[in-house]
Amino acid sequence: MTACAIEDGTAEAAGTGETVESESDEPAGAEEAPDPAGGAADAPQPREPAPGESVLPAFTITADGAYAARLTAARDTTGTRAGAAWYAERWTLDGPEPYAVPLPLDQPEEADSQVLPLADGRVLIRRRVAGRHAFSLLYPTGPGTGELPLGAVACDGLTLLPPSPDGVSAYALSPGAYSTGLWRVAGGTFGPEHLADLPGHCSGGVWLDRAGRLLGLDREPAGGGPVKAVAVDLGRGSEMTPLLQITPDSDDRLLLADPDSGLLLIRSDAPGHDRLGWGVLGSCLPVRFPECLRLPDAAVTPFAVQPGQTLMPESCAVALRIDGAAGTWAGIWRPSGRRLHQLAVPEGWLAGSGIWSREGVLKLPYADGETACAVALLTAPADGEPAEGAAPAGRAESGRQPSAALAPPPVCKPVPLGQAPLVGRTAPD
C-alpha cells in the first residue's frame, strides 16, 4: 500500500440516492459543517434511552463474539439514573439466543469503571481506588457474584485496550509526559505487568492478527507533531515499527483491521480534512477515501468488519455507526461496491457495537423496555440493489460511485507497512 491518497470524485444528488460528478471548487481543508436543520427530515427521530439500557458508550464484545460486557443500572421511578447503583453485566452471544447475567457486588460500581469480557466468561473490571487503578475478575457463582482481585497500577490515567484475540490477556495504556506505559493487566503470571514504555503519546488500539501479538496504535511524538499509526510486536519486547504514513504532515489514524483479509479502516486529514479511508495491510495499492462515506450532515464511524474473507479485502462488509443531528443509525459498506447502505436499527441499540458472522450477518445488541438483552440480525444487502424498507425515516441511500481519476498528493512516499513484523502476510495481487 503506497501513501498516495485517492478521493472518489463523486457526490450524492440530494434526495435521489444517485451520484453525480462533483463540480465543487472547495478548498483543501474546508470540511462541510453539519446542518442541524437540514437532514432532520431524512434521519431517524431521536429516542430516549430505554429502561435498563446503559447510558455509557462502552459495550465491549470479545474478539470471537462469544461474550460481551457493560456497566448498567436500573432506572428509578422517575425514569432517570440519578443515584443509581451501577453494576457489571455479562452477555452471552454465542448460544441459541442471547442472555444477560448481572454481576452486582455488595458495593455499587462507579460510573467511570471499565469492564472487559474474557473468552472464558469472566469479566475484567478496572476501578479507580485512591489514585490507583485496581483490577478484578468477576464471575457468576450461583445466586451471587465472585470476585478475584488481580492487583493495581499506580498512575494518573489508564485505559483498557480492546479485548485481545487470544481471549485470555487484557492490556492497558497509561499516558505519561514523554512516553506511554503498556501494561498486561490480566493473563499474566503475577497480576498487572509493565511491558514497555512506548515513546510518545499512544492511543487507540487495534489488533492486527489472530494471536494477539501485533497491536496497532496511534502515536503522537512527545514534542508534538502529526499522529501516525504504528505496530507494536508484543512477541518481540514490544518493538515498535511504523505502520502508516500517507504524507509526512498528515494525521493518519488506524480505526479497524481485519486479520483475515488485511482490510484497514483509516481516518486521515491527508485529503485536506478528516476523511474515512481504507487500505490493505501489506499492499502496494493506495489509500482510498470513498465519497459515499462522507456525509455532510452526519459523522460516520466504522465498528465491525466481516471476517473470513481471506485475502479478499474488497469483498468485506463493514458496519458503520452514523450519528446525525436527529439520531443514530447504522450503515453497511463494501469497498468493491462503493455504496453505503443506511439501515434502521432496533430501539435500544447499544450504539457502535456489533459483530459480523462469516456469512455476512450483522448482529446488533440492544436492550429496550420489553427485553433487557437481545440481538437484531441484519443481512448485508447486495450492492446492486437497495435494501428493501431498510433506510431509516425515508433517508436516501448513497448510490454507486465510479472511481475518480488517480490524483496523487504533492508528497507521495511508500507506506512502510512492509516494515512491520507481519509474518506470513501475503500481499494481494
Side-chain angles (χ1 to χ4, degrees), residues 4-8 286-290 404-409:
C4 297
I6 297 178
E7 287 191 72
D8 293 341
V287 176
R288 290 183 178 269
F289 297 91
L406 301 185

Side-chain angles (χ1 to χ4, degrees), residues 241-302:
T241 52
L243 180 63
L244 179 66
Q245 176 175 287
I246 300 180
T247 68
D249 298 326
S250 58
D251 289 332
D252 308 319
R253 292 179 169 86
L254 180 63
L255 304 182
L256 282 179
D258 176 54
D260 296 332
S261 65
L263 179 66
L264 303 179
L265 276 299
I266 297 159
R267 188 174 297 280
S268 174
D269 60 2
H273 42 258
D274 267 344
R275 293 286 299 273
L276 187 62
W278 68 279
V280 180
L281 195 62
S283 171
C284 294
L285 297 176
V287 176
R288 290 183 178 269
F289 297 91
E291 186 69 23
C292 68
L293 299 183
R294 182 189 184 192
L295 302 182
D297 58 348
V300 180
T301 306

Side-chain angles (χ1 to χ4, degrees), residues 170-235:
Y171 298 86
L173 296 177
S174 61
Y178 303 101
S179 63
T180 301
L182 176 63
W183 295 80
R184 178 164 52 206
V185 296
T189 306
F190 303 107
E193 304 173 52
H194 180 257
L195 301 180
D197 283 318
L198 306 176
H201 178 76
C202 296
S203 59
V206 175
W207 293 101
L208 302 174
D209 65 341
R210 294 290 183 195
R213 169 175 170 172
L214 297 176
L215 175 64
L217 297 173
D218 300 328
R219 175 185 175 270
E220 180 182 3
V227 177
K228 302 295 181 183
V230 297
V232 177
D233 189 344
L234 302 180

Side-chain angles (χ1 to χ4, degrees), residues 72-113:
T72 189
R75 292 174 179 269
D76 58 24
T77 56
T78 64
T80 66
R81 288 189 173 89
W86 295 96
Y87 58 90
E89 184 179 73
R90 188 198 72 189
W91 289 35
T92 299
L93 302 175
D94 63 346
E97 59 184 52
Y99 64 92
V101 176
L103 298 172
L105 295 170
D106 295 336
Q107 182 176 349
E109 308 292 347
E110 297 293 331
D112 62 351
S113 300

Side-chain angles (χ1 to χ4, degrees), residues 307-322:
Q309 311 300 299
T310 305
L311 299 181
M312 297 190 298
E314 294 194 358
S315 65
C316 289
V318 179
L320 307 108
R321 168 178 173 168
I322 304 176

Side-chain angles (χ1 to χ4, degrees), residues 47 53-54 56-57 59 70 91 348-354 365-367:
R47 60 175 175 82
E53 177 188 355
S54 172
L56 297 180
F59 181 87
R70 66 168 180 165
W91 289 35
W349 176 40
L350 301 172
S353 62
Y366 69 96

Side-chain angles (χ1 to χ4, degrees), residues 113-137:
S113 300
Q114 283 184 282
V115 292
L116 194 79
L118 302 181
D120 60 5
R122 295 182 295 178
V123 173
L124 176 73
I125 185 166
R126 178 203 62 84
R127 305 182 180 102
R128 188 68 180 262
V129 181
R132 299 163 63 89
H133 300 268
F135 297 91
S136 293
L137 290 175

